[in-house]
Amino acid sequence: MRPARGTAGNTGGGEEMPRGRTGWWPTAVLVALAALVLLPVLIVLVSFVASDSEYPLGGGPEQRPCAEALGFGGAALPDGAEPVGACTMQGWQDVHYSAAFRMPRAGVAEWLAHTYPDAPAPETEFCGDAAVDLCLDLDYAQGLPDGVDAHAVQVSVEYEDTGTALVRFAAFTL
């Protein structure tokens, strides 16, 4: 004999058991909360993938005055220097300024010594790029003057001819 529908399962025709309520609403609340938390992440991910921009979250390079770019790293354009191209600032979480200029070759060492008096001597051999003749890498622990906004500064110098040097300058936060 089969138990009657809704009974406790005894075959003697026992009392009917009340049907329990299903606990679907706590599950629905948890799923809705998870969706609300993950929705912004999904939106950023979709905009990142669908973006044609090289900088989908912003922070692409912007032209800035060269005095601002050099000043961020505690430097100034030396006498007789001519900017090469635009000086730029780029930032999203960190800030990166860059500048390039030509100056008299004979004044490079003096400009570096005057700008960064506590810096070690510039490198001449291990600059990373074969075209670079002189380089200087500084950070806030070594060689940067007090009050400089940058955490690090990199200067590379290429001697173009007997009288001219191309200086590339970068100052950035970490």
Side-chain angles (χ1 to χ4, degrees), residues 7-118:
T7 62
N10 66 16
T11 57
E15 297 179 28
E16 245 186 67
M17 300 244 333
R19 295 191 109 188
R21 294 185 177 199
T22 58
W24 65 269
W25 66 270
T27 303
V29 168
L30 286 175
V31 168
L33 285 174
L36 286 175
V37 168
L38 294 176
L39 186 62
V41 173
L42 183 63
I43 289 171
V44 168
L45 182 65
V46 167
S47 68
F48 185 77
V49 170
S51 175
D52 289 337
S53 172
E54 188 175 341
Y55 306 97
L57 299 177
E62 302 171 9
Q63 288 189 5
R64 295 284 199 228
C66 289
E68 179 183 331
L70 292 163
F72 186 75
L77 200 62
D79 291 335
E82 293 290 327
V84 175
C87 295
T88 61
M89 188 275 295
Q90 181 174 346
W92 184 63
Q93 290 182 332
D94 298 317
V95 178
H96 184 274
Y97 280 90
S98 63
F101 54 90
R102 284 190 174 84
M103 67 177 291
R105 180 177 174 164
V108 171
E110 181 183 334
W111 174 73
L112 286 172
H114 175 72
T115 303
Y116 302 111
D118 297 329

Side-chain angles (χ1 to χ4, degrees), residues 72-74 94 116 118-120 136-154 170-174:
F72 186 75
D94 298 317
Y116 302 111
D118 297 329
L136 184 63
D137 288 325
L138 305 173
D139 61 27
Y140 56 89
Q142 179 183 1
L144 283 178
D146 291 334
V148 172
D149 294 326
H151 297 160
V153 169
Q154 295 175 336
F172 47 93
T173 58
L174 302 173

